[in-house]
Amino acid sequence: MEFLKKSWKWVLGVIGFFIGLVWFMNSNTSRKVKKIKKNIKSNEKKTKEVDKKVENIKKEKKVTKKKIAVTNQKLKKVKKKKPKVKKRNGKQSTQALRNRLKKNN
């Protein structure tokens, strides 16, 4: 009992220190939790934006594939319609050129 009468201030100080320490640690962790929650929300927003961009790129990719297929079909049609060039020697080609020039005049 005499010990408590003499050192009651020290005992209260130690108890207060531990209570303050627990309080400080608890408030510090709650701040960390708030920061982490905030970071999670911002990351979710960023992932949503990236997902939208990915979807847009996929749509554009489909459109370009369709355009490529259409142009390939057109090229095949043009290649089929191309007349075959007859091989001629020099004299025949000059004569054909003269005939074409005469027709145009």
Side-chain angles (χ1 to χ4, degrees):
M1 206 58 158
E2 288 180 24
F3 177 74
L4 286 176
K5 286 183 180 178
K6 289 181 182 178
S7 59
W8 66 272
K9 293 178 184 177
W10 287 99
V11 172
L12 276 177
V14 169
I15 292 171
F17 172 76
F18 282 117
I19 291 172
L21 187 64
V22 169
W23 189 326
F24 176 74
M25 296 296 271
N26 191 16
S27 67
N28 195 17
T29 55
S30 66
R31 277 190 229 135
K32 288 181 182 177
V33 168
K34 286 180 183 177
K35 284 184 181 179
I36 290 171
K37 285 183 179 179
K38 193 174 186 180
N39 287 341
I40 289 172
K41 286 182 182 178
S42 66
N43 286 342
E44 286 176 353
K45 287 180 184 177
K46 289 178 184 177
T47 54
K48 285 181 183 177
E49 290 175 3
V50 170
D51 288 340
K52 287 180 183 177
K53 288 181 182 178
V54 168
E55 288 177 16
N56 288 337
I57 290 172
K58 286 182 181 178
K59 289 178 184 176
E60 289 177 4
K61 188 177 178 182
K62 287 181 183 178
V63 170
T64 52
K65 281 186 177 181
K66 288 180 183 177
K67 287 182 180 179
I68 289 172
V70 169
T71 53
N72 281 340
Q73 288 176 352
K74 288 181 181 178
L75 284 173
K76 287 179 183 176
K77 288 180 184 177
V78 168
K79 285 181 181 178
K80 287 180 182 177
K81 290 181 181 179
K82 252 187 191 178
K84 293 183 180 178
V85 178
K86 296 178 184 176
K87 292 186 178 180
R88 298 179 179 175
N89 58 19
K91 198 172 190 181
Q92 289 174 339
S93 61
T94 54
Q95 192 176 9
L97 181 66
R98 285 182 186 153
N99 289 339
R100 273 189 266 143
L101 289 174
K102 287 179 183 177
K103 287 181 184 177
N104 289 337
N105 288 334

